[in-house]
Amino acid sequence: MIFRRRFWFIFAMLTFTLLVVQPLFIGYPENSLLKLHGQVELDVSILPFHVKVYQGGYAIYNVSVTGSPDIKVELWVLGLPIGATYTFSKNKFNPPFTSQLEIHVPPDLPIGNYSFRVRASDGGLADESRAILEVVKLVGFNLSISPQTGTVNQGEAFSFVITVSDIGGFQGEVDLRVFGLPRDSSYVFSVNNLKPPFNSVLTIFTEGRTPVGEYTLKIKGTGKGKIQESQVTLIVKSKKDFEISVSPRELTLKQASKARFLVQIIPIEGFSGNVILRVLGLPNDAKYEVASKKTLSGGVVQIEVEVEAGQTIGTYNVVFRGEYGEMVHTDKVVITIVKAEAALGDFALLINPYSGETRQGRSFSADLMVKRLGEYKSTVTLSAENVPEEVKVAFNPSFGVPDYNSTLRFLADEKAAPGTYIINVTATGSDGKIHSIPFILTIVGKGEAGKEEFIFSISVTPKTLKIDQGGTTVLTVKVKSVSGEPLPVKLSVTGLPSDANYKFDPPEVKPNGSSTLTINTGVSTGVFTLLIKGRDGGKEQGTVATLVVEERRCFIATATYGSELSEEVKFLRRFREEIILSSFAGKQFMEVFNSFYYSFSPNVAQFILKNQWLKPVFKAFLLPLITALHIAASISIPLSNMDIELGALAAGLTTSFLLGLLYFLPLMIPLRKSLSGRVKVNGEIVSLAVLTSWLLSMVLTVLGEIFTSQVILMLSTFLLVSSTVVLTVISGLNFLDKVLNKFVSS
């Protein structure tokens, strides 16, 4: 009996040391985990705790500073690897404030985990927070394009050289594609679907009707799950040119007389050069000169050419030739020179513009000019031929004696068939002379892109939603066509927390349609304004939604210590976010744990708040937990520098062992004796079963990490924690039995 009492006295002293004395002297790790005692006047935290970055890339953290608004706090980063640089979006501010930390990693930095600290100080007060920067090898490929900008005339082609380079030993084939091309254009790669490195020539072919403008082309390469994109600019310019038209087409002159021809230089796509006009094919004794030159609406240049016949009679095919640089265009007329007594006058028919476009249900007008040539005095009547159905034509006036002007108006009915039509406008003289000129009329439908551009709107529901840390939420994005022919709209979202990810299903929508946006949040909390954008290649529309990520609160601890700002609650929160939730396996365990913990903790917290006398009891109850977590943190942090998953696993095993030792083992000691008399259990079988479960959970955890399986890790981590606690209790009881038996036997 003396030895038994002495044993229980020693056990009580050990328990008291673990529960009370040890927290007063234990050396906690110098990281972001807060000390348990003392009043905090300045606090700095960093999220996420762990960020992966490729060699040559950059990582982004959010640094939060709280404290007295009367002090000005400056931030530094300590412990970065050589060659890495950093910037803060905000520095030297009065708390509270949040600053974005951007760390740039050199391309030659060795891969691995690097621990660094963010220090905040006002010159007197100071606090530090620790985080992990994991540098990983970039295995993939890269796209580079030369030149970055290409200019092409309508109807011509332009080529870009695409260099696909290997990064880190990439072994897959890369498929190249182009997005964002203008209408009526096409492309071809000289080579495609090859293993890097290789060069491919991308040739863009345009047509004469390809719309003029500046286009951002996206060249996308895909291979073995890797995607790389690069952009170039293609500028399509109008192929500036001109046409020449001469009126009349036929003319009879008497010997030694003069007549005038009206020549129109018609610009194409903004042509404005000075065209040199020559007349070829006249008899040797005839001559010509430019009598007048003026510019009409639309840039049309009208030239009056006076031709003076000589004494030579006959019929001649005369060529009017327009020259501008390498551009040469001609038009032919027939001139007949007769004896003086046989000559007659004539007239010319001109139109401006020579083409036009109208929509169904609308009209278009052009100007006609009937010019007298020589001594012509007959009445000339205007008419139109080859007019499409459901299109009405009106002349105002429809007849007259040259010179006179007339307005030609086309009115397209709602039922007029869209298309391009060549309409002959004819002028007939009362003396039988006839001249005609073509007019090109284009009719487009009300919603065709030729006249009405594609416009769309984008909306999202719900507009505001709340979600807990680490949770998943879904929004519906709708894309609606406002006008024009619908085109595919590609969706994207910005403004998410830095540790969140998203997915659109589908990522591209053709109006009217919708897409489901799934967002998975990390540990970052706050109110985030999401900008959801849709782009059809040239136009972009957007809408906003508000995402509120709420913190998973420690209800029992908050009720016990009276505030979320207490050091103990901050410590628990940071242990969860910076050590457990920073790993993939830890996130899966917390999914299971949260469903269990939050099923009862709010009710327990309310009970504590209503019964204030319970606070000291729960403080004593939570003290071993906080002590265990501090010990677990001191063990896991060095391991996290090597591998974040290994650090989280070490924290979980250490915490489970200490919880079993400090909570469940003392509870089972008095219960064991009472239970042993009622329940017959084979201790060796139980121990073997628990050990088997522990080994199985370890194997499943490793497999879950390898295959990144959420389901396996949810099961295995919860089983690992439970079996570790039970195994600790069984081992502790067996150890105490051996010690007790030794004392008794002695």
Side-chain angles (χ1 to χ4, degrees):
M1 289 298 293
I2 295 174
F3 292 115
R4 187 179 300 273
R5 290 176 182 174
R6 184 180 300 171
F7 168 77
W8 286 116
F9 174 79
I10 294 172
F11 179 80
M13 290 301 296
L14 288 174
T15 304
F16 176 81
T17 302
L18 286 172
L19 296 181
V20 179
V21 179
Q22 183 183 8
L24 300 178
F25 297 96
I26 188 170
Y28 297 125
E30 291 185 2
N31 54 26
S32 64
L33 303 177
L34 293 174
K35 296 180 181 179
L36 291 179
H37 305 288
Q39 190 65 29
V40 175
E41 298 183 34
L42 178 61
D43 179 53
V44 60
S45 61
I46 180 170
L47 287 175
F49 176 70
H50 177 269
V51 174
K52 290 183 179 180
V53 61
Y54 290 114
Q55 292 170 311
Y58 65 93
I60 294 179
Y61 299 82
N62 290 319
V63 179
S64 298
V65 180
T66 58
S68 172
D70 298 328
I71 61 175
K72 182 168 286 187
V73 176
E74 185 174 1
L75 299 172
W76 298 272
V77 176
L78 306 173
L80 282 178
I82 297 175
T85 60
Y86 70 91
T87 57
F88 285 104
S89 62
K90 286 184 179 180
N91 208 343
K92 297 183 180 180
F93 270 74
N94 298 88
F97 69 90
T98 300
S99 180
Q100 188 176 82
L101 168 61
E102 187 172 303
I103 300 177
H104 288 261
V105 174
D108 57 350
L109 184 66
I111 61 174
N113 288 316
Y114 296 90
S115 176
F116 67 92
R117 307 189 310 278
V118 175
R119 182 175 178 82
S121 176
D122 71 336
L125 296 173
D127 191 30
E128 291 185 358
S129 185
R130 175 185 163 280
I132 299 294
L133 177 70
E134 182 179 356
V135 180
V136 297
K137 183 179 180 181
L138 178 60
V139 178
F141 60 91
N142 187 48
L143 299 181
S144 60
I145 307 176
S146 178
Q148 286 294 303
T149 302
T151 302
V152 63
N153 291 325
Q154 290 171 309
E156 299 177 357
F158 189 87
S159 296
F160 297 92
V161 177
I162 301 176
T163 300
V164 185
S165 55
D166 165 56
I167 300 176
F170 182 76
Q171 295 298 317
E173 294 183 351
V174 177
D175 175 54
L176 298 173
R177 299 196 179 185
V178 181
F179 300 90
L181 286 171
R183 274 195 339 266
D184 300 317
S185 64
S186 58
Y187 71 93
V188 64
F189 289 104
S190 60
V191 293
N192 202 353
N193 292 305
L194 296 177
K195 290 183 179 180
F198 66 89
N199 291 335
S200 181
V201 178
L202 166 63
T203 304
I204 309 292
F205 299 93
T206 65
E207 299 181 12
R209 60 179 180 271
T210 301
V212 174
E214 183 174 309
Y215 300 89
T216 299
L217 307 185
K218 182 182 292 183
I219 291 82
K220 185 176 183 179
T222 57
K224 292 195 73 173
K226 303 288 185 180
I227 299 175
Q228 287 292 322
E229 295 181 351
S230 189
Q231 292 183 343
V232 294
T233 300
L234 179 69
I235 301 174
V236 180
K237 290 189 174 181
S238 60
K239 189 175 181 181
K240 295 183 178 181
D241 206 342
F242 66 92
E243 293 180 355
I244 185 170
S245 176
V246 183
S247 183
R249 313 296 298 173
E250 298 180 7
L251 184 65
T252 301
L253 287 175
K254 62 182 179 180
Q255 295 169 312
S257 66
K258 297 179 181 181
R260 290 191 175 185
F261 288 85
L262 293 180
V263 181
Q264 283 188 327
I265 307 297
I266 304 169
I268 299 176
E269 298 295 345
F271 175 82
S272 60
N274 184 24
V275 176
I276 298 174
L277 188 64
R278 306 181 191 276
V279 181
L280 308 174
L282 289 171
N284 293 333
D285 57 351
K287 57 185 179 181
Y288 72 93
E289 66 176 351
V290 176
S292 66
K293 184 178 181 180
K294 62 181 179 180
T295 302
L296 307 177
S297 62
V300 176
V301 177
Q302 180 174 294
I303 304 173
E304 286 190 76
V305 179
E306 187 174 78
V307 176
E308 183 177 356
Q311 296 300 316
T312 305
I313 62 175
T315 300
Y316 303 91
N317 291 318
V318 179
V319 176
F320 285 75
R321 177 185 172 101
E323 301 175 355
Y324 181 80
E326 297 181 355
M327 300 179 188
V328 177
H329 297 284
T330 61
D331 197 11
K332 296 181 180 180
V333 299
V334 176
I335 297 179
T336 301
I337 301 176
V338 298
K339 292 182 179 181
E341 61 272 13
L344 297 172
D346 206 340
F347 65 91
L349 177 63
L350 303 174
I351 190 170
N352 183 51
Y354 62 93
S355 65
E357 183 178 274
T358 186
R359 266 188 259 179
Q360 293 169 317
R362 298 193 178 182
S363 63
F364 184 86
S365 297
D367 295 324
L368 291 172
M369 292 161 281
V370 183
K371 291 287 187 177
R372 182 176 67 250
L373 301 175
E375 299 179 356
Y376 192 82
K377 298 181 180 179
S378 300
T379 300
V380 176
T381 303
L382 302 172
S383 61
E385 300 173 350
N386 300 327
V387 179
E389 294 183 5
E390 308 298 339
V391 176
K392 296 180 180 179
V393 178
F395 295 93
N396 184 27
S398 60
F399 62 90
V401 177
D403 293 333
Y404 74 89
N405 297 329
S406 178
T407 300
L408 169 60
R409 183 169 179 263
F410 297 96
L411 177 60
D413 191 81
E414 297 276 357
K415 299 179 181 179
T420 300
Y421 305 91
I422 300 177
I423 299 171
N424 288 325
V425 180
T426 302
T428 305
S430 58
D431 60 348
K433 290 185 180 295
I434 299 175
H435 295 294
S436 63
I437 190 169
F439 181 84
I440 301 173
L441 177 66
T442 300
I443 301 174
V444 298
K446 289 183 177 181
E448 290 191 15
K451 195 68 179 178
E452 193 169 13
E453 68 174 349
F454 168 54
I455 300 175
F456 65 93
S457 64
I458 185 170
S459 61
V460 61
T461 53
K463 298 289 288 183
T464 302
L465 68 162
K466 294 182 179 180
I467 185 173
D468 290 329
Q469 287 173 299
T472 300
T473 188
V474 174
L475 300 91
T476 300
V477 180
K478 294 182 179 180
V479 182
K480 183 179 180 182
S481 176
V482 177
S483 66
E485 181 179 353
L487 298 173
V489 175
K490 188 173 183 179
L491 300 172
S492 63
V493 60
T494 58
L496 285 168
S498 58
D499 54 354
N501 58 74
Y502 71 93
K503 179 183 178 182
F504 282 101
D505 185 22
E508 198 172 70
V509 177
K510 188 172 183 179
N512 296 322
S514 63
S515 177
T516 300
L517 170 58
T518 303
I519 299 174
N520 299 305
T521 61
V523 298
S524 298
T525 60
V527 179
F528 302 89
T529 300
L530 310 184
L531 176 58
I532 301 165
K533 297 185 289 186
R535 187 176 181 85
D536 72 343
K539 293 173 293 299
E540 191 174 78
Q541 297 289 339
T543 186
V544 295
T546 301
L547 176 67
V548 181
V549 183
E550 296 183 330
E551 183 180 355
R552 286 275 194 179
R553 298 182 178 181
C554 304
F555 286 107
I556 296 176
T558 302
T560 300
Y561 292 103
S563 171
E564 292 183 0
L565 299 178
S566 67
E567 296 177 19
E568 292 83 359
V569 176
K570 284 184 178 181
F571 168 75
L572 292 172
R573 181 169 59 247
R574 289 185 174 182
F575 183 88
R576 178 190 64 194
E577 295 174 358
E578 298 179 5
I579 293 181
I580 303 302
L581 287 178
S582 63
S583 68
F584 180 69
K587 289 180 181 177
Q588 312 320 313
F589 170 75
M590 290 304 297
E591 285 287 331
V592 180
F593 176 79
N594 287 338
S595 62
F596 167 72
Y597 176 74
Y598 289 104
S599 65
F600 66 85
S601 60
N603 294 329
V604 175
Q606 288 295 325
F607 185 74
I608 296 172
L609 292 174
K610 291 180 180 178
N611 300 273
Q612 294 293 318
W613 61 271
L614 286 174
K615 284 188 176 183
V617 177
F618 273 88
K619 284 182 181 180
F621 179 78
L622 292 176
L623 187 57
L625 170 64
I626 297 175
T627 302
L629 294 181
H630 271 293
I631 297 173
S634 65
I635 295 174
S636 68
I637 287 173
L639 295 176
S640 296
N641 293 335
M642 295 185 291
D643 185 87
I644 194 67
E645 298 294 329
L646 181 61
L649 180 61
L653 290 173
T654 304
T655 303
S656 303
F657 169 75
L658 292 175
L659 292 181
L661 183 66
L662 300 177
Y663 283 102
F664 293 97
L665 180 58
L667 180 64
M668 288 301 299
I669 290 174
L671 291 177
R672 186 187 185 193
K673 186 175 181 180
S674 61
L675 291 175
S676 61
R678 301 177 185 178
V679 181
K680 301 295 183 181
V681 178
N682 190 320
E684 292 184 359
I685 295 177
V686 172
S687 299
L688 182 61
V690 175
L691 181 60
T692 303
S693 298
W694 189 88
L695 292 174
L696 177 62
S697 62
M698 283 293 292
V699 173
L700 289 175
T701 300
V702 173
L703 292 175
E705 290 279 11
I706 294 174
F707 296 104
T708 61
S709 171
Q710 294 180 334
V711 176
I712 293 177
L713 285 174
M714 283 183 183
L715 172 65
S716 65
T717 54
F718 187 77
L719 181 60
L720 181 61
V721 169
S722 303
S723 59
T724 301
V725 171
V726 175
L727 195 61
T728 301
V729 173
I730 293 175
S731 301
L733 291 174
N734 291 335
F735 175 76
L736 291 176
D737 281 342
K738 291 181 180 180
V739 173
L740 185 60
N741 291 332
K742 186 176 181 181
F743 271 99
V744 172
S745 62
S746 62

